[in-house]
Amino acid sequence: MGWLSNLLLPGRLRTGPTVLLPARPDPKTLLAIAQLADPDARLDGDDIVAGGSRIFAALELTGEILAKLGVGDEDRLWACRVAAEGPLPVNFFDKTLAEGIAYRLGGWSLCQGEPTDLSDSDLRAAVVYLPAAPAPEEAIGLLGELLRPADSADPDRWPDGQLVDGIVHVAVNGGGVADIYAGADTVVTIEEGHKIPPAARVRWPYLTEIVVAKLSAIEPKHELKPELKTEPGLDADAEDVHAEAEIDPRPETVTDAENTSGDESTSGDEGETASDAGVAATDEDGKGVRDDTALLERAAVALAVADRLQGIATDQGAFQLAEPEDILPGRYS
């Protein structure tokens, strides 16, 4: 085992996906987390099989191996390698699984040689999976009960929007986005796609397409770029920010629209302020002070929408939510 650890194991862990954890995970806790992504996840000896991927039992890593992995600030970590059971992962679910486990256990995801802290990643976004898109009248009636009402359909932000009972409705023609609904500070984007995550596949095994309702914060009006007024909620700097990242924390399992459609930017997700993203201020040392109030409110709305429309509320990695606090990092640590 020493030979394997010193020569082969670091390379396998470095390419990933691998979960790096500060403490040895309890197998029952690890299984419970895996079942949030795939309710059919099961133990297989010391490993866990979920969504066509295998989560290997945790291994203790110390100085020499950690140095080979490029982790120099830790004396000891525990690693769970995740590998697809078949020749290729299903919609990169192995990577998504590793990220979701790391997010909930306060660890890091290691992929392509880069350890990534996911505590402020897009996994924090709230999503609702639905078997079919609600009619506009039904969606407006429901969201009118859950969102703070908008005062008007701002033509600069929503050039094609109509204000109905405090909810701005924008019908989108073409692309993966079907409808956009907005209140005073939250926008709900209804998208259609073919990538059905395991949690939804177990719930609706007959589906060949899926509907996704993404909840995100509305960008403050003063941050809108004048040249982009015809595209609601788009922040021109956002694409550059994500383009510079070595590893995109956004999982590739949600919908085709999120990965290929230019309409994704209409959700306003890229233009969140520091407060919306969960960091509202700084302390005396200049460090960020997390404020998750808005995030928890959106998670609560997602759970209410899922309950009323017989859907599934998840984070953006398709890990199911049982209560709003499940959207926060380190929930199971």
Side-chain angles (χ1 to χ4, degrees), residues 140-276:
I140 290 171
L142 173 57
L143 295 176
E145 300 175 9
L146 300 174
L147 302 182
R148 296 182 182 89
D151 295 330
S152 63
D154 185 349
D156 289 339
R157 189 190 300 273
W158 315 112
D160 299 321
Q162 295 183 342
L163 182 65
V164 181
D165 297 333
I167 301 297
V168 178
H169 175 220
V170 182
V172 180
N173 296 320
V177 178
D179 290 281
I180 296 173
Y181 302 94
D185 50 20
T186 300
V187 60
V188 180
T189 306
I190 306 294
E191 301 179 353
E192 300 173 351
H194 300 283
K195 296 181 179 179
I196 304 176
R201 178 69 68 187
V202 170
R203 177 78 172 270
W204 304 295
Y206 53 87
L207 288 185
T208 58
E209 296 181 347
I210 196 76
V211 173
V212 182
K214 295 175 56 182
L215 285 80
S216 53
I218 294 180
E219 178 187 353
K221 185 176 179 181
H222 69 272
E223 293 186 6
L224 288 174
K225 308 300 181 182
E227 65 273 16
L228 298 177
K229 286 184 178 180
T230 57
E231 298 182 32
L234 182 62
D235 185 343
D237 296 331
E239 293 184 2
D240 293 336
V241 171
H242 286 288
E244 293 173 359
E246 293 184 10
I247 297 179
D248 185 357
R250 184 177 311 165
E252 300 177 53
T253 59
V254 180
T255 64
D256 292 325
E258 288 182 359
N259 296 312
T260 61
S261 171
D263 287 324
E264 176 188 358
S265 58
T266 59
S267 68
D269 206 20
E270 305 288 354
E272 289 185 346
T273 64
S275 177
D276 293 327

Side-chain angles (χ1 to χ4, degrees), residues 303-316:
L303 285 163
V305 170
D307 180 63
R308 293 280 292 273
L309 299 181
Q310 289 74 53
I312 301 174
T314 75
D315 66 10
Q316 197 149 324

